[in-house]
Amino acid sequence: MTHPPAHQHTGVFRDVLRLVFLELTAACNLHCRHCRADAQPLAAPDELTREELVRVAAEIRAIADPIIILSGGEPLLRPDFFPIVEDYCALFSRVALASNGTLLDDALIRRLMTVGVQRVSVSLDGARAETHDNFRGQAGSYAAALRGCASVRRAGMPLQINVSAGTHNAHELPELLELAQQLGADALHLFLLVPVGCGVELSESERLSAQQVEDLLTWLSAQSVALRDTLHLKATCAPMYYRILQQQPAARSLTQPAASGMHAVTRGCLAGSAVCFISREGKVQPCGYLPVSAGDVREQPFARIWQQSALFTTLRNPKNLSGKCAVCPFSHACFGCRARAYAVHGDYLAEEPDCVYLPPTISD
């Protein structure tokens, strides 16, 4: 087995902000079993107002022009959704919507395109209605999501399919890949479950084992090579994928920056170093699955939080990792999922719990 050069294990990641996930609301029309946001039928109290969101947008734009992902809950349920979208599209070069897809129709997609949204992602968690509807907690949600996907593609809007992988749907992933192609999707992103929010209640039997994760990501890397010119495949909350890509000569070129900024992420866990999440109440976190706050935009300017917070500074230095991640020669390609480490070990610097790889210093 080949290993990367030793120099890849040193240095501090730059704090170039590339992705901001903005949670607009807790309101949602589904009841997903894995929900990070603890979504509910109605908006939560004390959600950021449009005025606060505009101020935060200006503070972000003063230091960077990241991709903005508008999420929830279901962001389309926020009454002032479109005014907010217009505010953000006026400031940022790339704004995308993350939706469950059930509320999308032709007229809404045309309106999104008119204001400047550049991509819509829709969650599909099964290749069959029974699988998806059971996981999403709503009969008919699969059919509604497919109708939403069709509206996106009819309008010529780029479509991304998001899949949360677990034992409930791992056997359907080849079918889901075929479905994404049939839908005309531009990208399929595979998410590994992180036990946070409602996901804490998922039994261990519903999470893939470390070996199952390894097998799944190895399969995904092979598909990424085969489909590289037609469908962008990516693993999210699965940074081991980037170690697997480095181990396979045919897949190494996939780790190079893409021409499109919408999928130029080239390393595993970017939480706190290139990515952050702003909660509906204004808490700034490394990502939506790592519920540790670096600051509050209601109390501090965003730039100060991003550039000076102790949490983000700590996460940018791979020397702070512990366990086998601390000695892994692939740490710069992977870095381990800090959210899953926190959920399982109670320490966001601990080793990735779903990785089977043993570094040479441990295995020898």
Side-chain angles (χ1 to χ4, degrees):
M1 181 177 293
T2 59
H3 300 288
H7 72 269
Q8 288 192 359
H9 189 59
T10 62
V12 177
F13 299 126
R14 298 176 61 201
D15 58 347
V16 178
L17 183 61
R18 296 162 63 181
L19 284 162
V20 174
F21 292 86
L22 184 62
E23 182 185 54
L24 294 183
T25 183
C28 190
N29 57 329
L30 301 183
H31 313 281
C32 305
R33 297 169 60 205
H34 68 304
C35 184
R36 161 203 56 75
D38 288 321
Q40 54 199 40
L42 301 175
D46 208 28
E47 293 182 349
L48 291 170
T49 66
R50 179 188 173 192
E51 291 72 23
E52 289 174 316
L53 288 166
V54 170
R55 174 180 55 78
V56 172
E59 292 176 357
I60 296 171
R61 190 63 184 88
I63 62 169
D65 185 17
I67 300 169
I68 302 293
I69 311 293
L70 302 174
S71 72
E74 173 50 60
L76 292 171
L77 289 178
R78 181 156 172 152
D80 55 356
F81 171 76
F82 271 101
I84 292 169
V85 172
E86 291 174 358
D87 295 333
Y88 274 75
C89 287
L91 280 175
F92 297 97
S93 300
R94 296 156 296 177
V95 176
L97 168 67
S99 172
N100 61 39
T102 61
L103 304 178
L104 300 174
D105 59 30
D106 291 359
L108 190 145
I109 296 299
R110 286 195 298 269
R111 191 174 178 188
L112 287 172
M113 295 181 73
T114 298
V115 299
V117 173
Q118 294 189 12
R119 173 173 288 199
V120 171
S121 67
V122 173
S123 297
L124 283 178
D125 292 310
R128 305 159 198 169
E130 181 181 6
T131 306
H132 177 92
D133 289 356
N134 181 59
F135 197 65
R136 292 272 156 183
Q138 182 68 53
S141 60
Y142 177 77
L146 290 184
R147 288 194 296 270
C149 289
S151 289
V152 174
R153 293 308 297 133
R154 267 196 301 272
M157 170 84 81
L159 172 66
Q160 175 179 312
I161 302 299
N162 292 338
V163 181
S164 294
T167 57
H168 67 286
N169 65 359
H171 59 291
E172 295 181 21
L173 290 176
E175 294 176 64
L176 270 166
L177 179 58
E178 291 182 12
L179 177 60
Q181 293 173 283
Q182 293 168 7
L183 291 170
D186 298 272
L188 186 148
H189 288 195
L190 187 70
F191 289 71
L192 287 187
L193 292 174
V194 179
V196 66
C198 295
V200 172
E201 300 174 8
L202 290 173
S203 71
E204 282 300 308
S205 65
E206 294 178 90
R207 288 184 57 211
L208 297 172
S209 69
Q211 186 57 56
Q212 287 173 317
V213 166
E214 186 79 3
D215 295 341
L216 174 59
L217 296 180
T218 300
W219 169 82
L220 186 67
S221 69
Q223 300 305 312
S224 296
V225 173
L227 299 173
R228 64 191 308 158
D229 296 326
T230 58
L231 182 66
H232 177 249
L233 300 180
K234 178 177 176 291
T236 300
C237 301
M240 306 80 75
Y241 179 65
Y242 289 84
R243 183 254 303 162
I244 291 171
L245 293 180
Q246 291 285 342
Q247 290 174 304
Q248 299 181 9
R252 283 180 194 161
S253 62
L254 296 173
T255 64
Q256 300 304 310
S260 168
M262 296 303 289
H263 47 78
V265 175
T266 57
R267 182 172 60 80
C269 185
L270 293 163
S273 61
V275 172
C276 76
F277 170 89
I278 302 176
S279 78
R280 56 192 180 245
E281 299 96 354
K283 299 293 189 296
V284 182
Q285 301 170 198
C287 77
Y289 300 98
L290 179 48
V292 180
S293 177
D296 189 325
V297 295
R298 283 175 163 156
E299 299 173 359
Q300 303 164 275
F302 177 84
R304 183 185 305 167
I305 298 170
W306 178 252
Q307 295 169 346
Q308 301 178 23
S309 89
L311 173 59
F312 288 163
T313 299
T314 299
L315 284 171
R316 289 166 190 161
N317 191 342
K319 293 181 179 179
N320 292 325
L321 298 180
S322 62
K324 66 181 182 182
C325 289
V327 295
C328 181
F330 292 99
S331 66
H332 257 63
C334 171
F335 205 61
C337 177
R338 299 299 100 217
R340 199 155 39 243
Y342 182 77
V344 174
H345 301 299
D347 177 4
Y348 53 79
L349 297 173
E351 66 183 40
E352 161 68 65
D354 286 355
C355 178
V356 299
Y357 178 73
L358 289 178
T361 55
I362 294 177
S363 58
D364 289 347

